[in-house]
Amino acid sequence: ESLKKLAQADVFIGIEDTWSWNGCAIEDETARRYGIKTYRVNPQYVIDNYKALVKSLEHTCNEATTVEF
């Protein structure tokens, strides 16, 4: 759905550190490839409790990838 909206956009405003968020990275790359003017903001400015969110997700990812022998 976001890519449909992006197709009609003149400007894309995304977050820095898109590698942390698959959807954001896809939107950012799509905008870049299609020549849509792009601005990036620090995610801490637009996502409440960003550091806590990232920390909780890292913990979840670490648990999911733990290998026991």
Side-chain angles (χ1 to χ4, degrees):
E1 194 62 33
S2 64
L3 292 178
K4 288 180 187 178
K5 292 179 181 181
L6 183 59
Q8 299 173 7
D10 295 321
V11 175
F12 171 72
I13 302 173
I15 61 171
E16 296 171 351
D17 299 332
T18 58
W19 52 268
S20 298
W21 310 98
N22 288 336
C24 295
I26 291 167
E27 292 165 347
D28 187 72
E29 180 67 16
T30 301
R32 188 183 66 77
R33 287 184 182 218
Y34 283 90
I36 298 169
K37 191 170 189 96
T38 303
Y39 295 95
R40 292 176 190 85
V41 297
N42 187 318
Q44 294 174 344
Y45 298 151
V46 294
I47 299 173
D48 294 334
N49 300 315
Y50 179 71
K51 287 185 178 183
L53 175 63
V54 170
K55 189 173 183 174
S56 72
L57 293 174
E58 286 175 354
H59 179 72
T60 301
C61 290
N62 289 338
E63 287 180 351
T65 58
T66 300
V67 177
E68 295 182 24
F69 294 97

